[in-house]
Amino acid sequence: MNIRTTTRRHFLKGLTLSLGGATYLSPMLRRIGQGADGIERKAPRFLFVLEGNGLPPTQVHPLDVPFVARPERQRLTSHPLDGRHFPASLKPVAAYAKRMLVLQGLNGEVCGGGHSTSHGALGAYNTRDGKVIHDATVDCVLGRKAGTVFDNVILGISAQDRDVVFNCSAYGPNQSAATFCNPTAAYHRIFGALSGSKVTRQQGLLMDYLQEDIQRARGSLAGEEKAKLDAYLDAYDSIRQRNQRAQAFAGRGALDLPKMDARYTAEGPEERLDAHFELGTAALVAGLTDVVTIASGVGFRHFSIQFSKLASDIKHVIGHAVIAGSPTAIAQAEAIRAYHFELIARTMRKLESMPEGNGTMLDNTVIVYLSDAANSHHTQCQEWPYVLLGGAPRLKLDGRCLVYPNRGAAGWRTVNTIHTALLRAAGVPQDGFGHFMKGVDDVVQKGPLSEIIA
Amino acid sequence: MKRSCFLLLSWIAIYRATAGAEEPDLRSFLKEHCVSCHGAEKQKGKVRLDQLDLLHPTAPDRALLERVGEQLALQEMPPEDKPQPKRAAVEEMIAAIENLLALRGERISSAHEKLQRPDYGNYVDHDTLFTEPPVRKASTPGRIWRLNVDSWIAKTQDWTHTPALFRDNRNNAKPVSFPYQGPDHAFLDYANIHWFDKSTTEMLLLETEQVARAFMQRRWDPLKKNAGGAQERTIALSFNVITGRAATPEELASLMRLRDRAAKENPAEEADQLVVQAMLLRPEALFRSEFGEGEPDRFGRKLLSAHDLAIALGFAVNVAGPDDALLAALQKGNAHDAAYLASVLRPYLRTPAMRDRLLRFAQEYFEYPHAAEVFKDAKIHDYQPVRLVEDADEFVLRILDEDRDVLRQWLTSTNYHVRGMFNYHGTKIAHIRSDNGFKDYHGNYNLTEIEAGKEPHWVDMPADERAGLLTHPAWLLAFSDNQKNQAIQRGRWVTTKLLGGIVPDAPVEVDARLPDDPALTLREKMQVTRAEACVSCHKKMDPTGLPFEQFDLFGKYRTEENNRPVVTTGMLWGREVANPIEYVRTLADSKKVHQVFLRHVFRFFLGRNESADDAPTLIDMEKAYWSSQGSLKETVLTLLTSDSFLYRTP
């Protein structure tokens, strides 16, 4: 990542001046220009990092804050994080303790459970082993609102050797979003349109032809059959809009792109993950997207990764051994998690080095770390640990560990509320997000998680 | 206000004219079956129905009406332990609610949508499907049907003359633009659940570029030569290759316009490739189109055109679609004459491609290939699931080849294929143990190493230990996990796939944990499912899965569990069964089990759930099955020449 600070400001400013007349681009460009002019952003960027195999609450709990087991939690407690003794997993981000929130005890039973909640982790619904995608996930709702070149950049690694998987994010009901697992392919997708617009122009010609052709074909259809072609047509509209936005970026200044090196073609998950964090960060810094999701082994078919440099076992074996209390397995799980937080810390340092408004990009970027398997290798989602880092004008990311009470006790809250809080922070006010549990009061599962709202 | 009153009165008039005559019966239905739990005294689930006035156009809350309709349609109400209304009364009630909602421009959307889903096939009343209706009017709704991924791969290989295209041995990786995102335990290739969205379309752009490139490498120049070098003619020939038909002048002109535009800023070869890619992305190249043609009959049905029928049949018997001979035969003869059609199709039933299709059916129906995906910690459990799945495939295929009493054989045959203790690497063989450290392949079958042998062979298993696929290690493994058998899932399979029963999805908040106590048997751990909140669903699964406790979590026959005699009893149709062998043989003797099996055959080949109108087709399939001594191929032939297959309705 070597987009120079001054170059970026120059690039973004120049972009808005030269393209101000394009109406479909203007909101995006206006917002980018405001950042370059030193005007505060209203909606933050988001980096979601999901790591498969469960996140045992103790692995992100300050060592010098007594850990109370879920059944014994009767009230909400708050503990400052600054100066705390961090567990191995969180040590890489210890320097950002004042910009961190550790959330313990949020109830996610509405998402079901098992080895993974799949899209449910970001959708707040039960996908039944990833088979039923009820609605858009929170990252995609946020991305849609952002109106950047790419609504979302979704990257990841999988135990299966595939370039693309569908495992984590969704644009809408039954519309899983592609997670790019091949860093080289992801690089070309994100930056290809900027480095050369030939492909984009060719796609434009294709889409002109196809829109006519599909329109003709759909004319003879009705109902659900027509809807199938409408979805196909809408997809091209969406790609066309993205390409137009990308073209606006192309050739508008010295935008230093990440340099593809051995990590981009490596087979090891450590290198691939490293490359994905670099790509995601670069996309955020460049303003190509406001929402990046990194899915590290999300979903039952994808989570059992062998991190050869960090652990001797695949994650499935580690998961079972952690449940059994094996110190070796716990150490391996923590080493892998710490590696994720090292990469998160690197991203934070990069964002912190980039001036924006009256602060830095980190002041306007929320990093959300969680596991799609909530608290355990085999989870019922009765508690769902989260780590939030960074900054956002409407969120209080101010160095606290909040421990929510167990289900039924006064003040217990569900994961829906954190999604709602993130949406509020981005200027998308909603009463709630996801599915709700029957017989549970609205105050528990609707509205934002008030303790983190500024 | 006046306008509102007028509308209200008009609405009531319309409603009285359409449904009003039945209203008193509906009121008594509610009183008889609903109000005792949802009335003035009790409001279970905070639902009150005694004040629901179906005659009043605005009073009933839409959501409440829809919920009542859905509960009835999905047979979730009245509860099983309450007196059940006659099916006809339920249908009347649903129709009245639909009427009411329709007049308000609404419908029971969630129930309608659910009943089309692959996992809701059993919701159609079974007896109705095997009762001759007053009139035979089966047909399939007109539809477009996304090619399945294997069909698309085969097509692209054929179009490009590139057999290696998309051949990727990494985890069976296939083109990602054709993902399957359907429910568990159901057939993958349903017409109504697959299309292209934002993500898959983006993938499609990349993957069709790959296909177009291969086309340019292998096909373009020969076609250009055939066209005498003429640009337009070459494009026309390419169109013919990809769509199987000649382009209309308008279609050709449109492609030429694209070519001209592309050539302005690209080299000629790239412009040509772009035109080929455009053809590959046309809906016609991605979807099968089935709408029928000609005048509709008195039921509004239209016959599929000979061409569309050839395509539908071609994909039914071969994942690669129709060959030229099939297309020609249907163009030449009367494609809608069942006898002629059967004579054309019969040879296809004996082809390797059809063998593969029927194997695929068996794999998706029995779900045993899932054994290869089940995680078992290799440090604790060393076994070879892929090899066991291959054995199961051979078992299935041998019975398919014999094609007599197929379901009974699949459920009861003791003649198992055993792959043997050697691995094969080209012409060399190596002992399985030295290759992958495998310890106990033979043990899964309770065979000694010597009995398992070195070479693939067939073994007659002890008749009191094994009987058919449900006692085969592959099937048993598919429904197990790292620590235990999944007796509940096994029972669910039997209940839904053989008994035609309905098992609702578990509530979202269900705590599905069984106790961890290692001293308890699985059966003892499953006592927790007798809790009031669980038992209504689990009584449909647990008793039908527990007989398979005769086998351990590797499919090995056992007589003890936790050093105690293993208990293998279960319940079937209200009677206790002693062990899995008696159990599966009883199932295999059942006429209804065969009927449920035929319903699944129908779903696989039609790509949709059966409806009440399909009763004649299922009745004919059943007749064909028994009159052919249980030939699955003859049964499929009957299906492929049925009205359900030949007719489409708007």
Side-chain angles (χ1 to χ4, degrees):
Chain A
M1 267 175 300
N2 44 12
I3 301 173
R4 295 184 300 275
T5 304
T6 50
T7 307
R8 176 181 178 274
R9 182 165 281 185
H10 232 62
F11 168 80
L12 298 177
K13 183 73 177 157
L15 187 67
T16 61
L17 290 173
S18 59
L19 290 163
T23 52
Y24 60 89
L25 292 171
S26 55
M28 170 186 75
L29 299 177
R30 195 182 314 120
R31 197 163 39 72
I32 290 171
Q34 285 171 347
D37 280 338
I39 298 169
E40 292 288 339
R41 283 172 63 98
K42 286 187 178 169
R45 298 171 196 82
F46 290 90
L47 168 60
F48 291 91
V49 180
L50 290 90
E51 186 189 346
N53 211 24
L55 166 54
T58 51
Q59 291 190 15
V60 290
H61 199 75
L63 299 174
D64 46 357
V65 172
F67 181 78
V68 179
R70 179 180 54 79
E72 275 78 53
R73 295 177 202 147
Q74 293 303 312
R75 63 185 181 84
L76 171 66
T77 59
S78 176
H79 314 272
L81 285 174
D82 193 27
R84 293 290 182 189
H85 187 191
F86 276 24
S89 300
L90 287 185
K91 276 186 179 163
V93 288
Y96 293 104
K98 289 181 180 173
R99 287 178 170 271
M100 189 189 308
L101 281 181
V102 174
L103 304 176
Q104 301 278 27
L106 291 171
N107 183 296
E109 288 175 81
V110 73
C111 300
H115 287 97
S116 169
T117 58
S118 186
H119 301 75
L122 295 181
Y125 48 66
N126 187 342
T127 65
R128 304 195 183 283
D129 293 328
K131 290 289 184 182
V132 187
I133 298 166
H134 296 282
D135 212 336
T137 49
V138 70
D139 55 339
C140 290
V141 175
L142 290 164
R144 197 159 55 213
K145 166 74 165 47
T148 44
V149 173
F150 294 95
D151 288 351
N152 294 82
V153 168
I154 304 164
L155 309 165
I157 55 174
S158 164
Q160 297 187 340
D161 184 13
R162 306 232 169 129
D163 293 343
V164 166
V165 297
F166 296 88
N167 60 335
C168 180
S169 304
Y171 295 118
N174 295 318
Q175 293 180 55
S176 185
T179 301
F180 280 76
C181 297
N182 178 336
T184 305
Y187 179 98
H188 287 305
R189 176 179 182 258
I190 300 166
F191 301 110
L194 302 183
S195 55
S197 58
K198 185 173 179 179
V199 172
T200 306
R201 285 203 303 277
Q202 288 186 349
Q203 284 186 352
L205 293 173
L206 267 182
M207 287 187 277
D208 283 346
Y209 167 81
L210 287 166
Q211 280 185 319
E212 203 178 296
D213 192 67
I214 298 166
Q215 286 281 13
R216 203 167 31 241
R218 70 185 279 284
S220 59
L221 305 180
E224 289 171 14
E225 307 312 306
K226 192 174 208 165
K228 289 177 190 170
L229 288 193
D230 283 345
Y232 190 39
L233 204 55
D234 288 349
Y236 282 118
D237 278 342
S238 165
I239 294 168
R240 181 194 294 276
Q241 189 178 31
R242 189 199 68 201
N243 285 350
Q244 285 170 335
R245 288 170 172 172
Q247 274 183 315
F249 269 79
R252 292 286 162 187
L255 189 66
D256 288 342
L257 306 178
K259 288 196 171 61
M260 281 200 288
D261 54 26
R263 292 168 302 160
Y264 285 73
T265 52
E267 291 185 2
E270 292 90 345
E271 292 83 359
R272 284 188 172 214
L273 203 56
D274 183 336
H276 284 317
F277 268 87
E278 183 172 86
L279 280 172
T281 307
L284 287 171
V285 170
L288 285 167
T289 188
D290 275 359
V291 186
V292 172
T293 303
I294 295 181
S296 173
V298 169
F300 178 69
R301 288 179 172 81
H302 308 289
F303 83 89
S304 195
I305 295 171
Q306 172 77 64
F307 282 85
S308 301
K309 293 181 179 172
L310 301 165
S312 58
D313 284 315
I314 58 171
K315 287 187 94 174
H316 205 137
V317 172
I318 293 172
H320 279 265
V322 167
I323 291 173
S326 158
T328 309
I330 292 169
Q332 290 188 5
E334 288 185 322
I336 295 169
R337 203 175 313 286
Y339 180 65
H340 286 72
F341 277 104
E342 275 176 32
L343 296 170
I344 288 172
R346 189 180 72 184
T347 295
M348 293 178 76
R349 287 193 292 275
K350 179 67 193 177
L351 295 170
E352 202 173 20
S353 73
M354 308 300 295
E356 182 172 60
N358 296 320
T360 72
M361 288 182 78
L362 188 59
D363 299 325
N364 293 304
T365 307
V366 182
I367 297 162
V368 183
Y369 174 90
L370 69 154
S371 175
D372 55 303
N375 60 321
S376 174
H377 171 74
H378 296 144
T379 185
Q380 280 89 44
C381 303
Q382 290 165 313
E383 59 176 319
W384 204 318
Y386 278 74
V387 179
L388 271 60
L389 296 139
R394 294 176 179 138
L395 289 179
K396 283 197 287 187
L397 304 183
D398 55 358
R400 287 173 295 157
C401 173
L402 297 167
V403 184
Y404 286 84
N406 193 23
R407 178 173 181 163
W412 74 288
R413 304 301 303 270
T414 65
V415 291
N416 310 79
T417 60
I418 190 164
H419 295 303
T420 309
L422 298 177
L423 290 165
R424 291 268 177 109
V428 189
Q430 291 189 192
D431 289 340
F433 184 82
H435 286 182
F436 303 105
M437 290 191 282
K438 286 178 187 168
V440 173
D441 289 342
D442 284 357
V443 69
V444 172
Q445 50 189 350
K446 292 189 176 173
L449 194 61
S450 53
E451 291 77 16
I452 73 169
I453 292 287
Chain B
M1 183 66 191
K2 279 182 181 174
R3 182 175 158 74
S4 299
C5 287
F6 173 75
L7 284 173
L8 188 66
L9 290 169
S10 306
W11 193 95
I12 291 173
I14 294 167
Y15 181 72
R16 281 184 192 282
T18 53
E22 296 173 25
E23 194 270 339
D25 287 332
L26 300 177
R27 199 188 296 278
S28 65
F29 182 100
L30 287 172
K31 192 175 175 186
E32 190 176 344
H33 297 289
C34 310
V35 169
S36 61
C37 293
H38 305 287
E41 290 178 17
K42 274 197 284 184
Q43 292 101 40
K44 278 198 171 179
K46 298 180 183 172
V47 172
R48 183 168 180 176
L49 298 175
D50 59 319
Q51 295 167 326
L52 183 62
D53 183 358
L54 288 169
L55 199 60
H56 196 287
T58 55
D61 170 63
R62 173 193 169 278
L64 182 57
L65 263 184
E66 183 169 339
R67 198 166 154 201
V68 171
E70 180 176 326
Q71 295 280 309
L72 290 170
L74 302 182
Q75 300 172 39
E76 288 171 359
M77 285 287 162
E80 276 184 342
D81 55 351
K82 302 286 182 188
Q84 293 298 304
K86 286 184 180 170
R87 193 65 210 161
V90 173
E91 299 292 348
E92 262 184 24
M93 184 76 180
I94 294 170
I97 291 173
E98 281 186 329
N99 240 339
L100 192 61
L101 290 170
L103 288 167
R104 294 162 56 157
E106 296 158 349
R107 65 183 193 133
I108 310 175
S109 55
S110 53
H112 271 291
E113 283 159 18
K114 278 185 179 173
L115 290 170
Q116 307 304 316
R117 278 173 36 180
D119 49 340
Y120 277 72
N122 283 359
Y123 281 78
V124 182
D125 180 57
H126 183 84
D127 291 340
T128 304
L129 290 171
F130 290 90
T131 303
E132 187 64 42
V135 287
R136 290 188 154 223
K137 52 174 184 173
S139 72
T140 289
R143 61 190 178 178
I144 55 173
W145 186 354
R146 191 200 72 176
L147 292 184
N148 82 42
V149 66
D150 295 309
S151 296
W152 194 68
I153 292 171
K155 283 284 182 199
T156 59
Q157 291 171 347
D158 179 45
W159 291 333
T160 61
H161 286 182
T162 311
L165 193 63
F166 295 123
R167 190 172 287 173
D168 187 339
N169 292 325
R170 297 175 304 161
N171 302 306
N172 289 322
K174 290 177 177 173
V176 293
S177 45
F178 290 75
Y180 291 118
Q181 293 174 356
D184 277 333
H185 314 300
F187 293 120
L188 295 173
D189 194 19
Y190 258 43
N192 64 347
I193 59 171
H194 300 302
W195 59 87
F196 296 96
D197 58 20
K198 186 172 157 184
S199 252
T200 47
T201 301
E202 188 177 347
M203 300 300 115
L204 197 60
L205 277 170
L206 299 174
E207 286 170 341
T208 51
E209 187 183 344
Q210 195 180 339
V211 180
R213 206 179 305 125
F215 191 97
M216 296 305 292
Q217 286 167 357
R218 294 287 186 93
R219 299 301 301 272
W220 185 261
D221 286 343
L223 290 170
K224 196 171 180 179
K225 196 175 170 186
N226 287 350
Q231 185 70 45
E232 187 169 326
R233 179 71 186 139
T234 311
I235 290 175
L237 291 175
S238 301
F239 187 96
N240 208 320
V241 166
I242 291 168
T243 64
R245 66 175 179 85
T248 65
E250 295 76 24
E251 287 167 336
L252 199 52
S254 181
L255 287 165
M256 285 304 293
R257 278 197 299 278
L258 169 63
R259 205 272 173 194
D260 291 344
R261 288 183 67 196
K264 281 180 187 165
E265 49 183 282
N266 296 284
E269 194 174 306
E270 285 183 29
D272 293 336
Q273 183 177 314
L274 205 66
V275 172
V276 171
Q277 191 181 358
M279 295 180 205
L280 296 168
L281 287 164
R282 299 180 77 239
E284 188 177 359
L286 303 168
F287 292 91
R288 296 157 54 179
S289 178
E290 302 177 353
F291 288 96
E293 68 172 9
E295 285 301 309
D297 69 7
R298 66 193 173 105
F299 305 115
R301 306 178 303 172
K302 291 181 180 179
L303 281 161
L304 282 175
S305 69
H307 180 263
D308 288 351
L309 179 58
I311 289 173
L313 290 169
F315 280 114
V317 298
N318 186 342
V319 76
D323 58 18
D324 291 342
L326 183 60
L327 284 160
L330 264 62
Q331 290 293 347
K332 194 175 76 180
N334 181 358
H336 304 119
D337 176 76
Y340 175 74
L341 209 49
S343 71
V344 171
L345 284 175
R346 189 159 273 118
Y348 285 94
L349 302 179
R350 294 189 290 272
T351 59
M354 185 59 177
R355 194 172 185 254
D356 287 346
R357 287 285 290 155
L358 292 171
L359 173 63
R360 179 68 178 258
F361 161 74
Q363 289 176 334
E364 291 190 27
Y365 176 65
F366 285 103
E367 303 180 51
Y368 62 83
H370 181 59
E373 294 182 9
V374 172
F375 171 78
K376 292 190 192 283
D377 187 344
K379 284 184 176 171
I380 306 165
H381 311 295
D382 198 359
Y383 76 121
Q384 190 78 356
V386 174
R387 185 170 294 238
L388 295 168
V389 170
E390 288 170 1
D391 282 346
D393 282 346
E394 292 299 327
F395 174 89
V396 164
L397 286 168
R398 182 167 179 164
I399 291 166
L400 274 176
D401 291 343
E402 291 166 0
D403 201 28
R404 289 175 71 87
D405 219 359
V406 169
L407 180 61
R408 179 188 300 280
Q409 290 299 313
W410 277 347
L411 290 177
T412 61
S413 172
T414 55
N415 194 220
Y416 279 16
H417 183 267
V418 178
R419 168 83 156 67
M421 300 295 283
F422 279 82
N423 277 338
Y424 290 76
H425 301 288
T427 56
K428 291 183 182 177
I429 55 175
H431 197 282
I432 189 168
R433 189 184 297 240
S434 64
D435 184 60
N436 56 20
F438 174 65
K439 295 170 189 164
D440 202 22
Y441 164 75
H442 55 288
N444 295 128
Y445 292 107
N446 298 83
L447 296 173
T448 64
E449 278 193 59
I450 292 170
E451 287 170 330
K454 298 175 180 176
E455 306 287 346
H457 63 295
W458 292 86
V459 176
D460 279 321
M461 307 299 285
D464 56 348
E465 291 185 9
R466 306 278 177 175
L469 268 173
L470 305 193
T471 63
H472 192 285
W475 189 85
L476 295 164
L477 279 161
F479 297 97
S480 73
D481 60 33
N482 190 33
Q483 290 155 333
K484 63 183 183 307
N485 289 330
Q486 289 188 337
I488 297 166
Q489 291 302 317
R490 289 173 183 175
R492 187 186 197 282
W493 188 93
V494 172
T495 297
T496 57
K497 298 273 183 91
L498 291 180
L499 305 181
I502 294 166
V503 180
D505 289 337
V508 291
E509 302 156 60
V510 71
D511 180 359
R513 281 180 302 175
L514 296 178
D516 288 331
D517 187 350
L520 298 177
T521 65
L522 180 64
R523 181 183 292 263
E524 288 164 345
K525 292 175 181 174
M526 284 168 56
Q527 291 288 321
V528 296
T529 66
R530 297 190 184 180
E532 188 185 351
C534 312
V535 70
S536 65
C537 290
H538 277 274
K539 71 183 180 188
K540 297 176 182 174
M541 300 184 283
D542 299 6
T544 53
L546 281 167
F548 301 110
E549 284 308 283
Q550 184 77 74
F551 306 91
D552 71 10
L553 73 166
F554 290 94
K556 189 173 181 176
Y557 183 88
R558 63 183 176 180
T559 54
E560 290 188 345
E561 183 182 9
N562 287 2
N563 299 315
R564 286 181 277 155
V566 66
V567 181
T568 59
T569 55
M571 294 292 287
L572 180 63
W573 298 311
R575 288 185 206 154
E576 184 173 296
V577 288
N579 59 58
I581 308 303
E582 175 195 332
Y583 180 46
V584 294
R585 287 183 182 151
T586 308
L587 288 166
D589 285 340
S590 162
K591 184 181 170 189
K592 183 174 178 185
V593 164
H594 280 80
Q595 289 175 338
V596 174
F597 169 74
L598 295 179
R599 290 176 67 173
H600 285 84
V601 173
F602 180 100
R603 289 173 206 171
F604 180 81
F605 284 97
L606 264 294
R608 67 172 173 88
N609 293 336
E610 59 278 24
S611 72
D613 283 345
D614 293 309
T617 302
L618 286 154
I619 290 167
D620 291 348
M621 286 170 69
E622 188 182 20
K623 275 185 198 156
Y625 186 80
W626 293 119
S627 64
S628 63
Q629 287 79 50
S631 162
L632 183 57
K633 289 170 191 162
E634 285 300 319
T635 307
V636 172
L637 185 63
T638 301
L639 172 61
L640 300 185
T641 55
S642 70
D643 283 3
S644 297
F645 203 91
L646 301 179
Y647 280 97
R648 295 294 177 269
T649 41

